[in-house]
């Protein structure tokens, strides 16, 4: 497989609130004109039955992938003409145990290789929450992951659970530059404005681990409880300093009850979506208005006022959905979302989610 990206023209005009909304022409966009980025890969995957006894089958899977990345950009400020290429080989192996039609367990190990893309290496300019600068010395990151999980199903009851751990070397991270550091790069303070200046760098390593689960309990008087949840923890080792990963999500999930009529012509469900609080923040998160805007001073972060950012609060919503089948070919589906009109936003989002919402659809098939 392969892909090629070409930047033929990235010159643009911009205007910003901290510059009185005046239009300004830029001699260079976020990328150099005539930049290119290419990625090609060849891979082989083999899967075969390793053992079989009774109702059990042990399936083995092994594979390998060769990846090559190449990029070029002319006249990158502070760097000049840039050409780089990276090649990596990775492998994977796994076992999957099937027990009849009711039980499946698996164990997978895999490696990853990712070269920095054109934006991470050459981007220069305002990218939303920050002003980014290039780094020609950015190196690829590699990862080693292990995942274990299983699924059990009997009738209408089901349990699926999995856990994983992923160790990333030369993790591509982000650091905020001081004013003296970014001025050495020849940046004009008028172009930077009031936003933090950030640069992508390779940290020593990154460690990520997490778990997810889905449970559907047996029906009681035609009512079925269900729950699904996912959690992830990320930590970046900067060589003597450990910080949370950028924009780490909190515990997320949903759960509720569903009733199906005896004739299966209609169903009704009551459920909640929820998220836990997240106060584990990467240093660059604290300069991000989407997560750390001070409500007492709109447009400013807690960090601007010398305060610690509290992060994102927990939230939950109450929702109702149902459906009715007039015939085998015609069905009505309807939902009431966020019935209690909760005000909330997902971690890392700059916008509050919608309030009460009603939706209905008439579906016909033939």
């Amino acid at each position: 497989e392969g892909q090629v990206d070409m930047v033929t023209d990235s010159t643009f005009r911009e205007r910003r609130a901290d510059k009185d909304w005046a239009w300004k022409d830029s001699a260079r966009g976020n990328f150099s004109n005539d930049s290119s980025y290419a990625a090609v890969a060849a891979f082989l995957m083999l899967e075969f039955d390793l053992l079989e006894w009774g109702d059990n089958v042990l399936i083995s899977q092994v594979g390998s992938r060769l990846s090559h990345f190449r990029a070029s950009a002319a006249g990158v400020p502070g760097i000049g003409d840039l050409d780089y290429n990276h090649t990596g080989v990775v492998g994977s192996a796994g076992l999957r145990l099937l027990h009849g039609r009711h039980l499946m367990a698996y164990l997978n190990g895999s490696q990853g290789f990712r070269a920095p893309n054109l934006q991470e290496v050459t981007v220069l300019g305002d990218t939303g929450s920050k002003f980014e600068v290039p780094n020609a010395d950015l190196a690829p990151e590699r990862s080693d992951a292990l995942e274990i999980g299983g699924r059990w199903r009997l009738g209408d009851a089901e349990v699926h659970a999995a856990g994983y751990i992923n160790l990333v070397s030369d993790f591509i991270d982000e650091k905020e530059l001081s004013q003296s550091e970014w001025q050495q790069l020849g940046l004009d303070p008028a172009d930077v404005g009031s936003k933090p200046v950030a640069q992508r760098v390779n940290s020593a390593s990154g460690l990520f681990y997490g778990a997810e689960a889905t449970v559907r309990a047996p029906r009681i008087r035609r009512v079925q409880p269900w729950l699904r949840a996912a959690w992830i923890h990320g930590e970046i080792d900067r060589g003597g300093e450990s910080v949370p990963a950028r924009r780490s999500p909190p515990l997320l999930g949903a759960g509720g009850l569903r009733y199906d009529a005896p004739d299966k012509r209609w169903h009704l469900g009551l459920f909640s979506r929820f998220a836990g609080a997240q106060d584990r923040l990467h240093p660059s998160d604290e300069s991000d208005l989407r997560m750390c805007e001070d409500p007492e001073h709109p447009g400013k972060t807690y960090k601007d006022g010398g305060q610690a950012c509290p992060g994102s609060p927990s939230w939950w919503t109450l929702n109702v959905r149902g459906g009715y089948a007039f015939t085998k070919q015609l069905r009505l589906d309807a939902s009431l979302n966020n019935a209690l009109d909760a005000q909330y936003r997902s971690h890392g989002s700059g916008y509050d989610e919608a309030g009460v919402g009603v939706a209905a659809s008439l579906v016909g098939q033939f």
Side-chain angles (χ1 to χ4, degrees):
E1 64 181 18
Q3 74 174 71
V4 177
D5 295 325
M6 306 291 294
V7 180
T8 57
D9 187 357
S10 65
T11 301
F12 66 98
R13 302 176 70 206
E14 67 169 0
R15 61 178 183 175
R16 290 169 22 191
D18 57 357
K19 296 181 180 179
D20 298 324
W21 296 110
W23 284 104
K24 178 183 177 181
D25 292 322
S26 174
R28 180 188 188 269
N30 284 343
F31 302 96
S32 300
N33 292 338
D34 300 321
S35 298
S36 65
Y37 182 84
V40 295
F43 51 91
L44 176 67
M45 182 69 71
L46 301 175
E47 182 176 287
F48 51 91
D49 292 351
L50 190 63
L51 292 172
E52 185 172 356
W53 70 100
D55 289 337
N56 305 293
V57 180
L58 183 62
I59 301 172
S60 178
Q61 186 182 75
V62 294
S64 183
R65 181 184 181 96
L66 171 67
S67 301
H68 178 75
F69 302 87
R70 180 177 295 273
S72 65
V76 181
I79 295 176
D81 294 343
L82 177 68
D83 288 281
Y84 69 91
N85 65 86
H86 300 288
T87 302
V89 179
V90 296
S92 65
L95 293 173
R96 189 166 74 252
L97 174 64
L98 305 180
H99 176 68
R101 300 172 60 88
H102 305 298
L103 179 66
M104 183 270 288
Y106 59 89
L107 175 66
N108 295 321
S110 61
Q111 297 176 311
F113 174 83
R114 187 180 81 85
N117 59 43
L118 201 62
Q119 172 167 336
E120 292 169 321
V121 176
T122 71
V123 68
L124 174 69
D126 185 348
T127 57
S129 63
K130 52 187 173 287
F131 191 99
E132 294 193 59
V133 297
N135 182 3
D137 297 324
L138 204 58
E141 58 184 14
R142 289 180 173 271
S143 65
D144 296 284
L146 184 68
E147 180 183 19
I148 185 171
R151 176 182 297 165
W152 173 82
R153 179 184 299 165
L154 184 62
D156 55 13
E158 179 180 354
V159 177
H160 176 209
Y164 68 90
I165 184 170
N166 189 13
L167 178 62
V168 186
S169 58
D170 292 324
F171 181 77
I172 296 179
D173 193 14
E174 182 181 279
K175 74 171 184 178
E176 186 174 328
L177 303 183
S178 66
Q179 184 169 347
S180 61
E181 287 178 315
W182 58 257
Q183 283 185 327
Q184 291 178 6
L185 300 175
L187 298 181
D188 186 345
D191 291 330
V192 173
S194 60
K195 294 192 174 181
V197 178
Q199 184 182 55
R200 308 294 175 100
V201 295
N202 290 105
S203 292
S205 64
L207 177 64
F208 299 84
Y209 52 88
E212 61 181 34
T214 299
V215 178
R216 297 184 185 277
R219 297 179 189 273
I220 302 174
R221 295 176 181 250
R222 311 201 64 81
V223 175
Q224 183 176 43
W226 61 273
L227 174 70
R228 64 173 181 266
W231 169 79
I232 183 173
H233 180 96
E235 202 78 28
I236 309 303
D237 181 2
R238 290 180 159 183
E241 179 190 20
S242 181
V243 300
R246 290 181 60 228
R247 300 182 68 181
S248 292
L251 172 69
L252 297 169
L257 301 170
R258 172 176 167 133
Y259 174 82
D260 286 275
D263 58 5
K264 297 185 177 180
R265 293 192 62 180
W266 63 275
H267 70 271
L268 183 65
L270 180 70
F271 69 99
S272 172
R273 293 177 56 237
F274 61 86
Q278 181 57 285
D279 58 4
R280 299 186 67 256
L281 303 174
H282 185 278
S284 67
D285 292 344
E286 298 191 15
S287 300
D288 195 326
L289 289 171
R290 292 171 296 183
M291 288 168 278
C292 291
E293 183 176 23
D294 184 353
E296 300 296 325
H297 302 89
K300 301 290 185 181
T301 64
Y302 286 97
K303 183 178 179 181
D304 293 332
Q307 304 178 66
C309 176
S312 299
S314 60
W315 56 265
W316 66 278
T317 64
L318 183 64
N319 313 274
V320 183
R321 63 186 172 199
Y324 182 81
F326 298 99
T327 67
K328 290 183 178 181
Q329 291 76 34
L330 187 63
R331 185 181 77 250
L332 174 66
D333 294 321
S335 63
L336 173 62
N337 302 310
N338 195 6
L340 301 181
D341 196 20
Q343 183 176 349
Y344 71 100
R345 64 175 58 182
S346 300
H347 181 66
S349 169
Y351 302 94
D352 288 340
E353 298 289 347
V356 178
V358 178
S361 60
L362 189 64
V363 181
Q365 62 183 26
F366 53 89

